[in-house]
């Protein structure tokens, strides 16, 4: 089976040889089995990338945060159409749990300017969101909740369950399914991480957006999400910023999506009902996304593509998804912050093998 995917290995090796990639992991499951799990390059200067090297994958973590809340829905602890305020009493926006999960709640940016150090102050940022006025009537339109998504979802997890979203993920999902990923890393795990680097010095400015735009407001408060001094710091790695700071290996992400593709069960361990997986992966919103500036189909935490695949990419090049029609899951986790053309090349190679 693995020899069938030689073209994928060759493409990955070519990305490294040509300098288009300097450090990454790639994993693919096909027909319920792992068929590609490779790493290459350096996690930091002079230190090779290892199979157990996690890296910050930005928005690839949004579906992972969503799954924590969806597990509580599956257990009957709350309902998708509950008002958020039913579980978070000081929350002013009249949004439902479903609207939070589909990026239609109207809170795409933190409303109060905060310094970079605020990334570690969960209570402050959640209080800001609770007091905010929505930027549009909830449910009327989508706009990716770039930074706020994880705090909205994560605070609902905390209010309903009592645990932080990072602890919930570790104990209820990552542990049972043996996934090397997490929010809010301890010291030992922080030392394993790859250091993010600019694949192109112009990348931070290229993805910054126009000053004052929704994109800029959503991505730059608190500031530092594209600043290497911030995102490679112990503060960032130790904080829970679930919309943008999941640290994971590619193998863990491909394995997670394999469990979802199998209807919520992996290696005999069922974490989600097939009904919950079906609801979580169907299109819930199809229309304009005010932040992305294009038509977007949102499921409960993921983007749905025209070929029927569902998952999420992150700025900088990391990506993970499941393709039910072709029967595979794919994950690419990179420290080389650049565009997504590397993933495009790898997918072309993968599809040539199927």
């Amino acid at each position: 089976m693995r020899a069938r995917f030689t073209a994928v290995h060759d493409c990955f090796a070519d990305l490294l040889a040509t300098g288009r990639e300097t450090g990454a992991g790639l994993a693919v499951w096909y027909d319920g089995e792992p068929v590609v799990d490779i790493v290459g390059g350096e996690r930091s200067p002079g230190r090779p990338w290892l199979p157990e090297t996690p890296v910050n994958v930005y928005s690839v973590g949004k579906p992972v945060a969503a799954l924590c809340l969806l597990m509580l829905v599956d257990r009957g602890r709350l309902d998708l159409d509950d008002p958020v305020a039913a579980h978070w009493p000081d929350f002013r926006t009249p949004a439902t749990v479903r609207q939070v999960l589909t990026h239609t709640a109207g809170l795409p940016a933190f409303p109060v300017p905060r310094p970079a150090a605020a990334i570690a102050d969960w209570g402050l940022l959640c209080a800001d969101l609770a007091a905010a006025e929505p930027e549009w009537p909830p449910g009327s339109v989508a706009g990716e909740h770039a930074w706020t998504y994880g705090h909205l979802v994560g605070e609902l997890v905390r209010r309903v369950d009592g645990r932080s979203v990072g602890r919930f993920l570790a104990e209820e999902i990552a542990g049972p399914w043996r996934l090397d990923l997490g929010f809010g890393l301890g010291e030992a795990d922080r030392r394993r991480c790859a250091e993010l680097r600019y694949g192109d010095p112009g990348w931070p400015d290229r993805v910054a957006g126009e000053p004052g735009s929704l994109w800029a407001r959503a991505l730059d408060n608190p500031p530092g999400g594209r600043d290497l001094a911030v995102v490679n710091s112990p503060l960032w790695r130790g904080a829970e910023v679930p919309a943008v700071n999941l640290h994971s290996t590619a193998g863990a992400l491909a394995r997670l999506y394999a469990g979802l593709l199998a209807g919520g069960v992996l290696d005999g361990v069922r974490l989600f009902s097939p009904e919950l997986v079906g609801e979580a992966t169907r299109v819930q919103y199809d229309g304009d996304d005010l932040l992305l500036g294009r038509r977007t189909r949102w499921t409960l935490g993921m983007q749905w593509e025209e070929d029927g695949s569902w998952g999420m990419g992150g700025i900088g090049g990391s990506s993970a998804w499941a393709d039910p029609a072709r029967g595979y899951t794919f994950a690419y986790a990179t420290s080389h912050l650049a565009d997504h053309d590397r993933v495009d090349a790898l997918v072309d190679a993968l599809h040539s093998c199927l």
Side-chain angles (χ1 to χ4, degrees), residues 40 83 106 287 304 308:
W304 191 94

Side-chain angles (χ1 to χ4, degrees), residues 33 49 102 136 172 201 216 223 247 271-272 295 305 315 324 344 352:
E33 298 290 338
W49 197 290
T102 56
W136 58 78
E172 299 289 349
H247 288 76
L271 295 186
F272 304 95
R295 178 186 179 186
E305 303 297 337
I315 60 169
D344 295 339
S352 76

Side-chain angles (χ1 to χ4, degrees), residues 17 21 25 40 45 61-62 66-67 81 84 135 137 175 194 207-208 214 278 302 313:
E21 180 57 79
K62 284 184 171 72
L67 285 171
D81 296 312
V84 173
E135 299 200 25
V207 299
L214 178 58
M302 308 178 202

